[in-house]
Amino acid sequence: MKVHLKIWRQKGENVKGRFETYTVDNVSEDSSFLEMFDILNEQLVAQNKEPIAFDHDCREGICGMCSMVINGIPHGPERETTVCQLHMRKFKDGDTIVVEPWRAGPFPIKKDLVVSREALDQIQQAGGYISIRTGAPQDANAVLIAKDTLEKAMDAAACIGCGACVAACPNASAMLFTAAKVSHLNYLPQGAPEKDRRTIAMVEKMDELGFGNCSNYGECQAVCPKGITLDFIAKMNRDYAVAKAKQLATQGQ
């Protein structure tokens, strides 16, 4: 199959970018989207042109590095799928495909389709850990956890931190990412002692970094490659309200 590509090219954060048009022919419909990009870059190198910079690592849908907005949809048209797992059979022969980087103020463009997502790391570093004694591991059944609670924690832990939720949100909100990381630990008994401090620290770091507020559009849930739901945002809002109330009560004493 043959596809026409309109790809965003930009040499750096403070350099004006532009779309450039390319054509890739003889692409197998069984190729992944990133494999198609590999073919394009080989063509560019053969023509002594600069290849297109894009992020990738595991190519197994695990790391979330393959961040591209494809025809206006983060990670492309297939639901709950990362770009590396998107196959060319999802497109038609002769299609024109528009490829852009994540668009969000806290995600500065480093080059072409590569953006810095250090802001997400900072949110997690603000409170995404537990302070417990290290040493010999406990038996698996030493701390009993209800099945429903455990499953919710594991659902939240599925977040790979790709940032698609931010890219899809009209407000560039990181609420879904932050809620998943907060809820993962807040559901578990190991995270309970620091639940309030963690929730406040991560939410306020998110605001400090310039992410927008959640307006319940639901675009984040629609594009999340791991199916993280808005339920976790509701939980985080409740946890934050309770934590702030306790904090204000303590300060008023």
Side-chain angles (χ1 to χ4, degrees):
M1 61 187 295
K2 176 190 288 187
V3 292
H4 307 286
L5 303 167
K6 288 183 63 177
I7 300 174
W8 186 260
R9 303 300 305 265
Q10 186 170 340
K11 291 188 176 181
E13 179 180 352
N14 299 314
V15 181
K16 186 176 180 179
R18 69 198 182 282
F19 279 106
E20 291 188 358
T21 303
Y22 306 91
T23 297
V24 184
D25 203 353
N26 296 321
V27 178
S28 169
E29 66 176 13
D30 294 324
S31 298
S32 73
F33 201 82
L34 294 191
E35 288 171 337
M36 181 272 295
F37 257 72
D38 291 337
I39 294 170
L40 172 58
N41 275 342
E42 288 175 1
Q43 292 178 4
L44 294 176
V45 170
Q47 298 167 4
N48 293 319
K49 296 180 180 178
E50 187 173 9
I52 297 159
F54 64 95
D55 261 334
H56 62 95
D57 192 2
C58 72
R59 299 204 179 196
E60 295 179 348
I62 297 172
C63 69
M65 293 293 289
C66 50
S67 50
M68 298 180 188
V69 177
I70 302 170
N71 289 341
I73 305 173
H75 287 304
E78 188 168 4
R79 292 188 68 118
E80 298 190 13
T81 301
T82 52
V83 177
C84 61
Q85 294 183 308
L86 177 67
H87 289 86
M88 295 306 297
R89 55 180 169 266
K90 288 295 178 178
F91 304 92
K92 297 178 181 178
D93 186 31
D95 272 358
T96 296
I97 306 172
V98 181
V99 187
E100 304 173 70
W102 286 171
R103 303 287 191 181
F107 290 167
I109 295 175
K110 308 303 288 184
K111 187 177 182 181
D112 296 341
L113 303 175
V114 179
V115 301
S116 172
R117 286 169 291 184
E118 293 179 4
L120 298 185
D121 295 333
Q122 292 182 49
I123 293 173
Q124 192 159 342
Q125 290 164 2
Y129 60 88
I130 56 175
S131 298
I132 60 173
R133 179 182 63 83
T134 59
Q138 295 178 320
D139 291 336
N141 61 350
V143 179
L144 299 180
I145 305 173
K147 183 176 184 294
D148 181 60
T149 300
L150 182 61
E151 287 182 348
K152 288 178 180 177
M154 291 302 294
D155 286 344
C159 171
I160 56 177
C162 66
C165 51
V166 179
C169 179
N171 304 327
S173 172
M175 288 286 279
L176 192 66
F177 165 82
T178 306
K181 297 305 179 184
V182 167
S183 299
H184 168 209
L185 295 177
N186 282 5
Y187 269 120
L188 298 175
Q190 294 89 340
E194 296 169 312
K195 178 179 179 180
D196 294 340
R197 183 205 58 76
R198 173 185 305 111
T199 304
I200 292 173
M202 293 179 72
V203 170
E204 294 186 352
K205 174 58 70 171
M206 175 188 66
D207 292 338
E208 175 191 324
L209 292 169
F211 290 100
N213 293 320
C214 175
S215 298
N216 291 319
Y217 282 94
E219 294 293 330
C220 53
Q221 176 177 293
V223 302
C224 177
K226 297 303 176 182
I228 307 297
T229 67
L230 297 177
D231 295 337
F232 292 108
I233 295 180
K235 173 177 172 49
M236 184 180 71
N237 286 337
R238 292 193 297 270
D239 289 349
Y240 182 77
V242 170
K244 287 298 288 186
K246 290 180 180 178
Q247 183 185 68
L248 292 173
T250 301
Q251 292 173 349
Q253 290 179 350

